Amino acid sequence: MRRPLSLKEPFVLAALILLICVLAMCLTKGLDTWLNFSINPRSYWMLSGASLLLFSIFNCVLYLLLTSSIKYWFKSTLSYVLLMIILTMAATFFSGFGIDEAGSYRWIFMVLTLGYLIIISIVQIIRKLVEFAQKDDERKFE
């Protein structure tokens, strides 16, 4: 029997954030094309960065709530990398220029990635400390 899709799965969360970001990019492109809004092409890169930050925050919060941590850590890191690659391609497509021409967005993506890895590692350490404390409490009260 198949399990239903859940936001507790990092790939589902990444797909949802990707969908929201691409819809926002399409809406932005539509406003720029059809209504002659003067939208900065770097806005697509900003949307990509904001989406990565949103994924990082939700992913780390969900990581605290789950029980199987090693599988989740691997899946969430892989889904972050895949999301970053796809968002980079989408921003390149919509803006018309790559990340090298986008100015400081290469550095922003590096800082977001480093921040994500640090935060998810801190969350993993906190989980291990809480598990250790709970086992120690169980052993004392037996």
Side-chain angles (χ1 to χ4, degrees):
M1 185 171 173
R2 254 182 87 177
R3 289 185 357 212
L5 293 177
S6 170
L7 282 180
K8 293 179 183 176
E9 286 294 320
F11 293 110
V12 174
L13 179 63
L16 179 66
I17 289 177
L18 176 65
L19 178 68
I20 292 169
C21 183
V22 169
L23 285 174
M25 287 180 180
C26 289
L27 180 65
T28 304
K29 191 67 162 180
L31 288 173
D32 190 29
T33 304
W34 296 309
L35 298 179
N36 291 329
F37 278 40
S38 82
I39 294 176
N40 187 350
R42 289 193 172 108
S43 300
Y44 302 107
W45 289 100
M46 185 176 57
L47 283 170
S48 295
S51 298
L52 284 174
L53 182 61
L54 189 65
F55 175 81
S56 299
I57 292 168
F58 281 122
N59 192 12
C60 289
V61 168
L62 289 173
Y63 187 42
L64 279 173
L65 304 175
L66 297 177
T67 54
S68 65
S69 62
I70 299 299
K71 287 181 182 179
Y72 190 83
W73 188 87
F74 177 74
K75 287 179 180 180
S76 63
T77 304
L78 181 61
S79 62
Y80 180 88
V81 170
L82 291 173
L83 180 64
M84 184 174 59
I85 290 169
I86 294 169
L87 285 174
T88 301
M89 290 188 307
T92 300
F93 174 76
F94 282 105
S95 70
F97 52 85
I99 196 165
D100 290 327
E101 295 98 9
S104 61
Y105 284 96
R106 175 182 290 277
W107 285 102
I108 290 171
F109 275 39
M110 282 193 233
V111 168
L112 286 172
T113 302
L114 184 63
Y116 170 71
L117 292 174
I118 289 171
I119 291 171
I120 201 161
S121 297
I122 289 171
V123 169
Q124 187 173 15
I125 290 169
I126 290 170
R127 286 178 54 87
K128 293 293 181 186
L129 288 173
V130 168
E131 288 173 10
F132 177 74
Q134 287 174 341
K135 287 179 184 176
D136 190 46
D137 284 346
E138 288 174 4
R139 193 178 68 221
K140 283 181 183 178
F141 295 112
E142 285 183 351

